[in-house]
Amino acid sequence: MDVSAHIEAVYEELCRRDPGETSFHQAAREVLHAIGPALQAHPEYVDARIVERLCEPERQLLFRVPWVDDLGRVRVNRGFRVEFSSALGPYKGGLRFHPSVTLGIVKFLGFEQIFKNALTGMAIGGGKGGADFDPKGRSDSEVMRFCQAFMTELYRHLGEHTDVPAGDIGVGAREIGYLFGQYKRITNRYEAGVLTGKPVAWGGSHARTEATGYGAVYFAQEMLATRGHGLDGRRVVVSGSGNVAVHAVEKVHTLGGRVVACSDSSGYLVDEDGIDLDLLKDVKEVRRARISAYAEAKPAARFSARGSVFDVPCEVVLPCATQNELNQQDAVALVKNGVLAVAEGANMPCTPEAVEVFRGARTLFGPGKAANAGGVATSALEMQQNASRDSWTFERTENRLAAIMREVHTQCRVTAETYGGDADDYVLGANIAGFLRVADAMTAQGVV
């Protein structure tokens, strides 16, 4: 069997059927090229058309979201939910509210979510959703009205055993609250497990807010340990300054590392003393200001609107902003400056060319579907607590998160070696390990 020809044929057909969805094509290409050894070892997956079925979502929802702003003007946005795979459990994945959201972006995120969720070992399938609505600059009342309009259409497709959204870019505790309130109002059910990322006071989980950032740092720590290193005393660069980035900074500092740079869409900040976490939170979470406000408050820090945060010399990099933010040129600069490890806190923040630079230089590289799996893993823990009407302590939940990330790391290394790769090839290991778990479930459940 010519597996390579089969994979290329699947990819070409995918591109033909979904023209213009470049982010989805990129995500699919990475998975397809990595799972070749698994298909060679399991020809029954080819016969059952597992890959073709995985590349086609089980359901794609696209809908109009009309709402009224504070001036009484009618606004119209577009909403999305892609329910990709339920082979392992209810669809699970966040909602993103951002002007850049398109069907292709949602499909890329949902496709990645299938394998990420599988790697956690939890009983959750893959999905993703969102809208091209921008909550920035909107009043709480406007955000509430938009969320209510969005949920009025989406609610009929959700349920704790069907589809369980969470937050993502632009969707935090405020938005989750408004979405849940409308779901409860329409359905007349207090179905706590239908949304995750809720505040702890009414059904949320401790450590959920911190989980993605913490998890990425745990994964980086596990990678470094394979070469006899740790985070203690390491110079670290974190891109972004949102929820994932802030909590990555927090955990790095807890483990003895020093984050010297972070960024936002306006530029990047360097603080050789180590990022002041309290000041960063005040700037980004309280004042909702640009990162330059940090440098204004602390003259020893330096803000630059030009260049890249990845130009800053460091030993560990945690890209925690958005897709394709770290390109080939950035990767070359990082390798030249002696980077030891890169762990993706965001979804697909490194371009394919950048990934090849890291792999060619034998830089430890943790792909997002493994390194940032902590967020969705803790969402699944929130679902467990909701199902049992229980609430765990922060310590218990964080311990579970750390254990899950260690297991994800081990899975990646063992699987990479099993299928003929180097144990350090986390791209190979993560993709094959996630694929095998889903493929086995799909085979057992028949052609559905």
Side-chain angles (χ1 to χ4, degrees), residues 270-271 273 279 293-303:
V270 179
D271 187 343
D273 296 331
L279 177 56
Y294 180 107
E296 292 168 5
K298 187 177 180 183
R302 172 174 59 86
F303 170 76

Side-chain angles (χ1 to χ4, degrees), residues 36 44 68 81 87 96 116 137 189 206 215 228 231 239 242 289 295 317 335 342 355 363 407 433:
E44 65 272 18
V68 180
R81 186 68 178 172
R96 176 176 294 191
K116 179 191 303 186
R189 293 196 302 269
H206 285 290
L231 279 166
S239 70
V317 176
V335 169
V342 180
V355 174
T363 299
E407 177 56 30

